[in-house]
Amino acid sequence: ETFEPITLKHDGKISVYHPEANIMHLSNTIKSQLEINGVGADIIDVDITAKMNKAGIPFHKSYDVVRPYVQKSLNDGNYDIIIDIHRDSLKADRTTVTYEGEKFAQVVFVIGGDHANFKFNQELAKKLMASMEQIVPNITKNIVFKSGHGVDGKYNQDLHKRLVLVEMGGIGNDEAELNRTSAVLAKAVSQML
């Protein structure tokens, strides 16, 4: 997953998926921001899309493909919070908020309801949202709750009570907006911990 302004800047083409200029760069930014706020962070650095393409696995099975890597990380370490970072498919006019003259990519927390941990995941998302809202009003949108037929319903959140899926902005948000939001998310996580 990537952002149109970032791919345009990278190689002059507008795209919502890119092998290099993608969401992994945002993960590194968030990791750096967490460390600035005194929170250690790890990244599961696996090109899931490449693995899926090689095996002919459809996109909607991506959570199944990444699951063993998440399980291994959880077995190898002790984590206070796990953040699964994605982006929304909406345009920037629906995923951007301005505060004190600066633009921020809005955040949506997605909770899968088809597992026993969902109330814990949801409570964590609510706490993070409240903290982020104190820093930048309207930076978060309502929690998206998904369960039932036709949706994943777990998003690997069944693996840990403190795993949240975060959609950072949408396809039209630029790097500066995403960086500002990354700083807000990192500060909120550090305050919560």
Side-chain angles (χ1 to χ4, degrees):
E1 296 179 338
T2 192
F3 305 86
E4 292 174 346
I6 294 174
T7 61
L8 182 62
K9 184 178 175 183
H10 183 266
D11 57 17
K13 298 176 184 173
I14 294 175
S15 178
V16 294
Y17 295 97
H18 196 279
E20 297 164 6
N22 57 44
I23 201 92
M24 290 306 292
H25 292 286
L26 184 57
S27 298
N28 289 320
T29 300
I30 293 170
K31 179 181 179 184
S32 296
Q33 288 292 333
L34 285 166
E35 290 171 349
I36 288 168
N37 283 278
V39 178
D42 294 326
I43 295 175
I44 297 176
D45 191 11
V46 177
D47 189 341
I48 296 301
T49 303
K51 291 189 175 298
M52 291 170 55
N53 289 340
K54 185 176 180 181
I57 298 171
F59 186 75
H60 71 277
K61 296 284 190 182
S62 59
Y63 288 95
D64 295 335
V65 176
V66 77
R67 189 175 182 89
Y69 298 99
V70 176
Q71 287 174 313
K72 182 177 184 329
S73 292
L74 291 172
N75 289 338
D76 292 348
N78 185 18
Y79 296 95
D80 296 313
I81 184 172
I82 299 98
I83 304 171
D84 184 6
I85 302 167
H86 295 265
R87 58 109 178 103
D88 205 326
S89 60
L90 299 173
K91 299 282 187 185
D93 63 336
R94 296 183 57 201
T95 60
T96 309
V97 63
T98 302
Y99 178 67
E100 294 184 350
E102 300 282 357
K103 289 185 176 183
F104 295 80
Q106 286 182 300
V107 168
V108 174
F109 289 90
V110 179
I111 301 298
D114 294 337
H115 60 92
N117 286 339
F118 84 88
K119 289 183 181 179
F120 297 103
N121 305 128
Q122 189 172 23
E123 189 59 34
L124 175 60
K126 286 179 181 178
K127 287 178 182 177
L128 285 171
M129 286 174 64
S131 185
M132 291 180 76
E133 286 293 319
Q134 288 181 343
I135 301 165
V136 175
N138 300 313
I139 195 167
T140 65
K141 295 181 174 188
N142 291 333
I143 290 174
V144 173
F145 188 84
K146 293 189 176 184
S147 69
H149 181 71
V151 299
D152 183 285
K154 291 184 182 177
Y155 304 104
N156 290 324
Q157 294 169 344
D158 60 311
L159 297 176
H160 198 282
K161 293 178 180 180
R162 296 174 66 83
L163 194 157
V164 292
L165 191 160
V166 179
E167 291 188 350
M168 298 269 294
I171 59 173
N173 287 105
D174 66 29
E175 192 169 8
E177 296 160 355
L178 294 161
N179 288 344
R180 288 184 198 105
T181 298
S182 297
V184 173
L185 176 61
K187 187 172 183 181
V189 168
S190 70
Q191 289 173 349
M192 192 197 67
L193 294 177

